[in-house]
């Protein structure tokens, strides 16, 4: 069985007649139909596909089989059909490659626009997105492939090389800053237990100034906070020790002053208690005022003896002032009456006068206590409250002094009676 020549293909034998010529003709005609169905099926797939270029090799393979397929039929028609399909696919490929070239040129321009960016995160995300789009985009003409691939690659690599160098520089700078901080911390820790108080204070203040000069913005805030805590811990340790030392010295000095002040106040108390025995009334009053002025110039004593020594002193002074007032009152009465009193009458007159004074003092004391009781607890009343309480204490002390004087005069009366 022979296929007649067509186009540039010579006549060729496609098979042998085995039973009869008619049967053989039918057999090889059916084989042609099978081949044509393969062609039609491929054409249908091409027509419905979005990626027609992927069928080019299949078209070329079938077109190649046209010249060697053992069958009888119109191979020339199939050849032209496949040639047309090949041409259409090549046109589509050309169009797609032109489209791909346009897309890739756009991707290159975007990549180059981001290649010198310092917005590292945003640019990184964008370039990764561009690279993914580049991979998904189909090929371009072979003669342009290498050029545009290199151009796109160069833009992307330029950015990531700059980014790598930046963060390496940043890391080196962070390490330098970190080491500076650590060095200052180590120096501070080495000084925290020093006994050279003045020299170490100056050194630590210098370290604090050096700390301020370091640009900590290169390090994460959390890390800088931790380093600062370690740095301050050493400084606080030293200055807490220095503060304790100063307080101890102050306490020791205060203790020494307490003893000296107590000794001086005891001398004033002794002098105050002897005023009535050693001086005339006028001199005693004058001297009592001088002693009170001297008392104010003396510093504090220990709290546990402060009230006791003060009470002794003020009571002795009060006794002088009370007797002075009493004697002034008695002299005026004598001048008014014109009669000279006996010693007994004088003592009794003094006792009666003191009782009248106490009655007057108690009346005023009652008014003060009433006013204090009516005063509200408002902080604005604190100053007035303190004044009232001070006056109440003074009146109580004066009343007690007068009562002691009454007892003194009663004792003198009893001695005369005997």
């Amino acid at each position: 069985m022979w296929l007649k020549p067509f186009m540039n293909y010579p006549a060729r034998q496609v098979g042998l007649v085995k039973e009869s010529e008619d049967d053989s003709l039918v057999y090889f005609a059916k084989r042609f139909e099978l081949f044509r169905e393969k062609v039609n099926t491929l054409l249908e797939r091409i027509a419905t596909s979005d990626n027609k270029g992927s069928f080019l090799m299949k078209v070329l393979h079938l077109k190649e089989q046209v010249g060697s397929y053992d069958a009888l039929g119109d191979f020339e028609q199939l050849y032209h059909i496949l040639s047309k399909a090949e041409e259409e696919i090549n046109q589509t490929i050309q169009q797609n490659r032109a489209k791909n070239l346009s897309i890739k040129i756009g991707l290159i321009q975007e990549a180059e626009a981001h290649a010198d960016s310092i917005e590292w995160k945003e640019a990184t995300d964008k370039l990764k997105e561009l690279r993914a789009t580049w991979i998904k985009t189909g090929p371009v003409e072979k003669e342009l492939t290498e050029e545009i691939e290199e151009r796109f690659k160069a833009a992307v690599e330029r950015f990531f090389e700059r980014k790598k160098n930046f963060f390496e520089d940043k890391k080196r700078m962070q390490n330098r800053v970190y080491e500076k901080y650590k060095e200052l911390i180590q120096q501070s820790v080495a000084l925290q237990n020093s006994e050279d108080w003045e020299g170490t204070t100056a050194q630590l203040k210098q370290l604090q100034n050096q700390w301020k000069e370091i640009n900590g913005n290169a390090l994460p805030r959390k890390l800088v906070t931790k380093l600062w805590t370690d740095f301050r811990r050493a400084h606080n340790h030293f200055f807490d020790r220095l503060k304790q030392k100063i307080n101890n010295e102050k306490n020791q000095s205060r203790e020494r002053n307490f003893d000296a002040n107590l000794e001086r106040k005891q001398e004033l108390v002794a002098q105050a208690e002897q005023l009535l025995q050693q001086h005339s009334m006028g001199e005693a009053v004058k001297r009592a005022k001088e002693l009170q002025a001297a008392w104010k110039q003396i510093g504090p004593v220990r709290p546990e003896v402060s009230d006791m020594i003060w009470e002794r002193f003020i009571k002795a002074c009060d006794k002088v002032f009370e007797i002075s007032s009493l004697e002034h009152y008695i002299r005026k009465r004598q001048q008014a009456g014109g009669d000279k009193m006996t010693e007994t009458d004088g003592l009794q007159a003094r006792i009666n006068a003191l009782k009248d004074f106490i009655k007057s003092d108690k009346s005023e004391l009652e008014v003060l206590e009433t006013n204090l009781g009516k005063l509200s607890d408002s902080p604005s009343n604190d100053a007035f409250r303190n004044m009232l309480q001070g006056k109440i204490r003074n009146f109580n002390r004066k009343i007690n002094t007068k009562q002691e004087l009454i007892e003194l005069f009663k004792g003198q009366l009893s001695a005369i009676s005997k």
Side-chain angles (χ1 to χ4, degrees):
M1 300 294 294
W2 285 79
L3 179 65
K4 67 180 182 179
F6 66 96
M7 297 173 57
N8 295 326
Y9 295 99
R12 57 185 176 87
Q13 183 178 335
V14 297
L16 299 172
V17 177
K18 294 184 177 180
E19 296 181 358
S20 68
E21 290 184 358
D22 291 339
D23 290 338
S24 295
L25 288 172
V26 171
Y27 171 76
F28 285 106
K30 287 182 177 180
R31 277 183 59 81
F32 178 80
E33 292 300 324
L34 291 174
F35 185 75
R36 181 157 53 188
E37 287 180 9
K38 291 171 70 174
V39 171
N40 290 336
T41 300
L42 178 59
L43 295 176
E44 290 175 0
R45 292 178 61 191
I46 293 171
T48 57
S49 175
D50 293 330
N51 186 12
K52 293 180 171 36
S54 62
F55 295 97
L56 179 60
M57 294 308 298
K58 290 183 173 60
V59 170
L60 293 176
H61 178 65
L62 288 177
K63 189 176 176 182
E64 183 182 349
Q65 286 184 312
V66 167
S68 60
Y69 194 83
D70 292 336
L72 296 175
D74 190 356
F75 279 102
E76 183 175 355
Q77 181 189 25
L78 292 182
Y79 183 89
H80 289 306
I81 291 174
L82 290 170
S83 294
K84 184 179 179 181
E86 177 187 358
E87 182 181 353
E88 290 175 352
I89 289 175
N90 282 327
Q91 288 177 353
T92 300
I93 290 174
Q94 290 299 319
Q95 292 171 355
N96 288 339
R97 286 183 176 178
K99 180 181 177 182
N100 293 341
L101 179 61
S102 176
I103 293 173
K104 287 192 172 182
I105 288 175
L107 295 175
I108 289 171
Q109 290 172 343
E110 286 193 70
E112 289 175 342
H114 288 86
D116 296 316
S117 173
I118 58 172
E119 300 295 333
W120 305 112
K121 185 179 185 309
E122 293 80 355
T124 296
D125 293 342
K126 184 61 179 178
L127 286 171
K128 287 181 178 180
E129 178 186 333
L130 294 177
R131 189 155 52 187
T133 304
W134 182 278
I135 293 172
K136 293 177 183 177
T137 304
V140 300
E141 295 296 338
K142 289 183 179 180
E143 61 271 19
L144 298 175
T145 298
E146 183 176 354
E147 177 186 350
I148 65 170
E149 288 283 351
E150 286 299 321
R151 187 175 166 187
F152 180 76
K153 179 181 177 183
V156 173
E157 288 184 349
R158 183 164 81 249
F159 170 79
F160 283 105
E161 184 66 21
R162 289 179 56 252
K163 179 182 176 182
K164 175 187 173 185
N165 293 336
F166 172 81
F167 283 102
E168 285 179 350
D169 290 342
K170 182 179 179 181
K171 184 64 177 177
R172 284 192 292 270
M173 182 173 64
Q174 287 177 332
N175 289 339
R176 287 195 298 270
V177 171
Y178 179 80
E179 290 303 322
K180 287 181 181 178
Y181 279 141
K182 291 297 290 183
E183 176 62 23
L184 294 180
I185 291 171
Q186 290 170 1
Q187 292 181 44
S188 300
V189 170
L191 292 170
Q192 67 180 355
N193 291 314
S194 171
E195 299 290 336
D196 177 12
W197 305 106
E198 185 176 351
T200 302
T201 297
Q203 285 180 277
L204 290 177
K205 287 183 178 179
Q206 185 178 8
L207 293 178
Q208 290 173 3
N209 291 332
Q210 291 178 20
W211 185 283
K212 293 176 183 178
E213 292 173 359
I214 300 174
N215 182 7
N217 294 331
L219 297 179
R221 181 176 295 275
K222 188 175 181 181
L223 177 57
V224 173
T225 300
K226 180 184 181 304
L227 292 169
W228 170 250
T229 301
D230 294 342
F231 180 73
R232 289 302 304 162
R233 185 184 297 114
H235 287 242
N236 289 341
H237 179 77
F238 173 81
F239 286 111
D240 286 345
R241 290 174 56 242
L242 176 58
K243 181 179 178 181
Q244 185 61 48
K245 175 182 178 294
I246 293 172
N247 288 337
N248 290 341
E249 290 176 351
K250 285 183 178 178
N251 290 335
Q252 292 172 2
S253 176
R254 189 183 298 114
E255 289 295 324
R256 289 192 296 269
N257 289 335
F258 280 166
D259 293 338
N261 292 341
L262 179 60
E263 185 175 346
R264 293 175 62 193
K265 286 187 175 182
Q266 285 173 334
E267 291 175 2
L268 295 183
V269 170
Q271 293 180 43
E273 291 176 341
Q274 295 298 317
L275 286 175
L276 294 175
Q277 286 77 28
Q278 296 178 350
H279 301 278
S280 65
M281 184 53 63
E283 285 295 323
V285 170
K286 179 182 176 183
R287 184 58 184 156
K289 291 179 180 179
E290 292 173 351
L291 293 177
Q292 286 182 332
W295 185 280
K296 293 178 181 179
Q297 301 302 315
I298 302 174
V301 298
R302 289 187 180 86
E304 60 269 21
V305 298
S306 179
D307 289 344
M308 180 270 294
I309 195 72
W310 165 251
E311 288 296 329
R312 280 186 61 192
F313 176 73
I314 197 63
K315 187 176 290 185
C317 293
D318 280 350
K319 190 173 288 187
V320 172
F321 298 135
E322 290 292 344
I323 291 177
S324 175
S325 297
L326 177 62
E327 293 305 317
H328 179 72
Y329 174 79
I330 294 298
R331 281 196 304 272
K332 288 183 67 175
R333 281 191 59 186
Q334 284 180 329
Q335 291 171 359
D339 297 330
K340 196 172 183 180
M341 289 187 289
T342 64
E343 185 177 1
T344 301
D345 291 339
L347 290 172
Q348 189 61 55
R350 286 169 172 77
I351 291 172
N352 292 337
L354 287 170
K355 287 182 178 179
D356 290 339
F357 293 162
I358 289 174
K359 186 182 295 184
S360 176
D361 288 345
K362 285 185 175 180
S363 177
E364 291 192 44
L365 178 62
E366 184 177 353
V367 172
L368 291 172
E369 290 177 338
T370 300
N371 290 338
L372 180 64
K374 292 179 179 179
L375 198 63
S376 70
D377 293 335
S378 171
S380 61
N381 292 327
D382 287 348
F384 188 54
R385 183 183 299 103
N386 291 334
M387 182 192 72
L388 290 176
Q389 290 172 341
K391 287 188 174 183
I392 289 171
R393 285 194 299 271
N394 289 338
F395 270 102
N396 281 321
R397 189 178 65 251
K398 289 180 179 181
I399 291 170
N400 289 335
T401 300
K402 290 179 176 69
Q403 288 173 339
E404 289 182 7
L405 290 175
I406 289 174
E407 296 302 319
L408 174 65
F409 293 139
K410 282 183 178 180
Q412 290 177 1
L413 272 176
S414 177
I416 292 174
S417 301
K418 293 180 180 179

